[in-house]
Amino acid sequence: MLQFSVLASGSSGNSVYIRSDETALLLDAGISGKQIQQRLAEAASASLSSIDAVLVTHEHVDHVRGLKQVMKLSGGSLYITEGTWHHVQKQLEDVCTKDDRRFVKADESFVIGDIRVTPFTVSHDAEEPVAYRFDAGEDSLAVVTDLGYVSDHIKGIIRGCGTYVWEANHDVDMLRAGRYPWSVKRRILGDKGHLSNEDSAVALADLLENREVDVFLAHLSEENNQPDLAELTVTSILREMSATFAEQVRLHRTARHTATALRSIGSV
Ligand SMILES: [Zn+2]
Ligand SMILES: [Zn+2]
């Protein structure tokens, strides 16, 4: 059994709560510890003290803003790449000893309680960034955000999951026409930036086999995207590619300021 709630998603902060029968994990802490505590309570009647481990994808502030507080309140172990650790080491000095910390390596699965965790490399402008796949029994979830493109290697690792938390960061036209400086636009659009709605749909189509999947569109830009537009773009591209694709994908929303309801993988 695997359940999860996206506590926050977007360029202002990201965090996902994942639990099985025996184990509770927090993936990223990009909002304050207090907000995470509140949303955990609202969405899952859970608290930070019940978290067994905290996993981190990369050092950008929208993923680590509340990490110190979370480590303090949870008492769980920290799972992090060595590259990311270099950037957060200082802020965690007082709350994370060597014994509390495990270095993860891309493509090397490990087990926390009854959840198997597989980190994999993503192309993003951070030091040794990763994303993760989680498996417990028959249930599987991949949380894939903050990447410029979805490589074949990634597709190989995450194929077959029942649920995806899946980046649809921006609409290319909104981004191009928007007020960001060109250097920032170029970064977002580049190979180490973020997935556009279009790229998101095309990569997703490659993962579809003959079955339905749940897709939680995530990390939407506040400035350069809209939930309706993201859904519409993804759906229409899938439909253009194949009449059945759009029917196989059940799209769901995530939000900046509220947690998604706790959901079991595989439930309708
Ligand atoms: Zn991010
Ligand atoms: Zn990032």
Side-chain angles (χ1 to χ4, degrees):
M1 195 266 304
L2 207 50
Q3 295 180 309
F4 75 102
S5 163
V6 179
L7 302 178
S9 189
S11 6
S12 52
N14 297 274
S15 187
V16 185
Y17 171 68
I18 298 153
R19 80 175 175 203
S20 62
D21 292 327
E22 293 171 19
T23 313
L25 309 177
L26 191 75
L27 172 62
D28 285 337
I31 51 176
S32 75
K34 194 177 162 198
Q35 285 170 318
I36 289 177
Q37 188 82 285
Q38 277 170 356
R39 294 185 201 183
L40 272 177
E42 283 162 18
S45 306
S47 74
L48 275 172
S49 59
S50 68
I51 298 285
D52 300 299
V54 179
L55 299 103
V56 178
T57 57
H58 64 296
E59 71 272 20
H60 289 162
V61 68
D62 57 318
H63 297 261
V64 301
R65 186 177 282 110
L67 190 56
K68 183 176 180 177
Q69 249 177 318
V70 161
M71 288 308 295
K72 210 160 144 184
L73 295 169
S74 79
S77 307
L78 178 69
Y79 289 74
I80 192 165
T81 66
E82 210 169 339
T84 305
W85 172 250
H86 290 148
H87 294 266
V88 298
Q89 189 172 10
K90 222 172 160 49
Q91 59 154 308
L92 298 184
E93 234 161 30
D94 310 330
V95 291
C96 187
T97 67
K98 214 168 156 224
D99 294 338
D100 301 327
R101 186 199 70 208
R102 316 260 186 284
F103 285 143
V104 307
K105 284 205 169 73
D107 302 336
E108 289 183 13
S109 294
F110 53 92
V111 170
I112 307 173
D114 57 352
I115 301 181
R116 171 163 291 277
V117 182
T118 308
F120 50 90
T121 300
V122 288
S123 175
H124 192 55
D125 57 349
E127 192 178 342
E128 210 185 342
V130 287
Y132 293 90
R133 170 177 175 150
F134 302 89
D135 288 88
E138 299 284 292
D139 297 339
S140 50
L141 163 74
V143 182
V144 188
T145 68
D146 298 77
L147 70 175
Y149 67 98
V150 185
S151 66
D152 288 342
H153 181 69
I154 294 179
K155 287 174 194 164
I157 290 173
I158 62 175
R159 189 161 281 133
C161 284
T163 300
Y164 297 94
V165 175
W166 192 248
E167 179 162 73
N169 177 259
H170 56 274
D171 174 79
V172 174
D173 293 335
M174 279 178 81
L175 177 69
R176 282 185 193 280
R179 64 184 175 98
Y180 282 2
W182 178 239
S183 57
V184 177
K185 291 181 183 177
R186 203 166 44 196
R187 182 204 146 236
I188 296 171
L189 289 165
D191 269 2
K192 293 192 161 193
H194 291 275
L195 285 188
S196 68
N197 296 339
E198 292 84 348
D199 293 343
S200 177
V202 171
L204 190 58
D206 257 358
L207 296 173
L208 296 175
E209 293 158 334
N210 278 329
R211 62 195 175 83
E212 297 190 343
V213 292
D214 287 292
V215 176
F216 287 70
L217 293 182
H219 213 301
L220 269 68
S221 163
E222 190 161 24
E223 185 88 11
N224 302 308
N225 211 351
Q226 293 288 339
D228 288 342
L229 179 61
E231 282 181 5
L232 189 69
T233 308
V234 170
T235 309
S236 49
I237 290 177
L238 288 173
R239 198 170 287 141
E240 260 170 47
M241 294 175 82
S242 152
T244 54
F245 279 175
E247 287 158 29
Q248 283 174 251
V249 175
R250 288 188 293 255
L251 287 182
H252 307 270
R253 289 187 182 189
T254 61
R256 219 165 287 280
H257 302 296
T258 50
T260 59
L262 187 71
R263 185 183 170 92
S264 299
I265 306 280
S267 69
V268 180

